[in-house]
Amino acid sequence: MFRCARIQGLDTSEGLILFGKEHCYVVDGFTLLKNREIRDIDSMPVGHYEPIIPNPSGTSSNRSQSLRQCSKFAYEDIREVHKRRYLLQPIALEIFSGDGRNYLLSFQRKVRNKVYQRVMALGTSIADNAQSSV
């Protein structure tokens, strides 16, 4: 389980990426504290939560609740995983699924490589060459 931010166009949603036995889940609106406790981001007191991606516009909690999503990827459906840059920082991964979905996920600086290794180890259908690319 790792903290992440899902980037979709100009919108970002912080949440968690969870690795299960057969699926990988991306859940918006929750965070992982240092004591490994899972908390709702909107219920966190001001000053006790540092976002992965700073949000200068200060979106309201009502807006973040309406945009929450939960996505599930089966490991055999993951076709490609690429290391990406976000905000000119090497902190993101892009995950492509066989059904056409793709997610750009941003992480804390030292977490991206750990998540990349985990996805590469668990993904059973990751394309090795351009011929079988999505």
Side-chain angles (χ1 to χ4, degrees):
M1 178 173 17
F2 299 95
R3 289 180 59 208
C4 70
R6 182 180 50 81
I7 295 105
Q8 189 172 12
L10 297 175
D11 296 328
T12 61
S13 298
E14 291 214 25
L16 298 173
I17 184 167
L18 309 163
F19 292 99
K21 290 183 178 184
E22 297 178 6
H23 295 86
C24 172
Y25 304 88
V26 178
V27 182
D28 292 349
F30 293 92
T31 189
L32 186 65
L33 302 178
K34 290 181 181 178
N35 63 358
R36 305 295 291 171
E37 180 183 353
I38 298 172
R39 296 281 305 266
D40 187 330
I41 290 174
D42 294 336
S43 69
M44 296 288 292
V46 177
H48 286 81
Y49 170 71
E50 184 175 335
I52 294 173
I53 299 172
N55 190 359
S57 64
T59 58
S60 68
S61 63
N62 293 337
R63 181 171 175 231
S64 65
Q65 285 180 347
S66 65
L67 295 176
R68 288 187 180 184
Q69 292 181 6
C70 179
S71 301
K72 177 171 84 168
F73 290 97
Y75 293 130
E76 63 263 8
D77 287 343
I78 296 175
R79 297 292 183 248
E80 293 186 32
V81 180
H82 297 283
K83 292 181 180 180
R84 300 288 193 215
R85 292 167 62 93
Y86 183 69
L87 298 176
L88 301 176
Q89 303 289 321
I91 59 173
L93 289 178
E94 191 168 16
I95 301 174
F96 293 89
S97 178
D99 61 4
R101 292 180 298 157
N102 70 316
Y103 274 63
L104 180 63
L105 302 174
S106 178
F107 300 92
Q108 294 169 311
R109 183 170 296 279
K110 297 184 182 200
V111 173
R112 179 188 72 164
N113 290 336
K114 291 178 187 177
V115 175
Y116 179 77
Q117 294 300 324
R118 178 78 49 96
V119 173
M120 291 299 287
L122 295 171
T124 57
S125 298
I126 294 179
D128 291 334
N129 58 27
Q131 299 295 335
S132 57
S133 178
V134 173

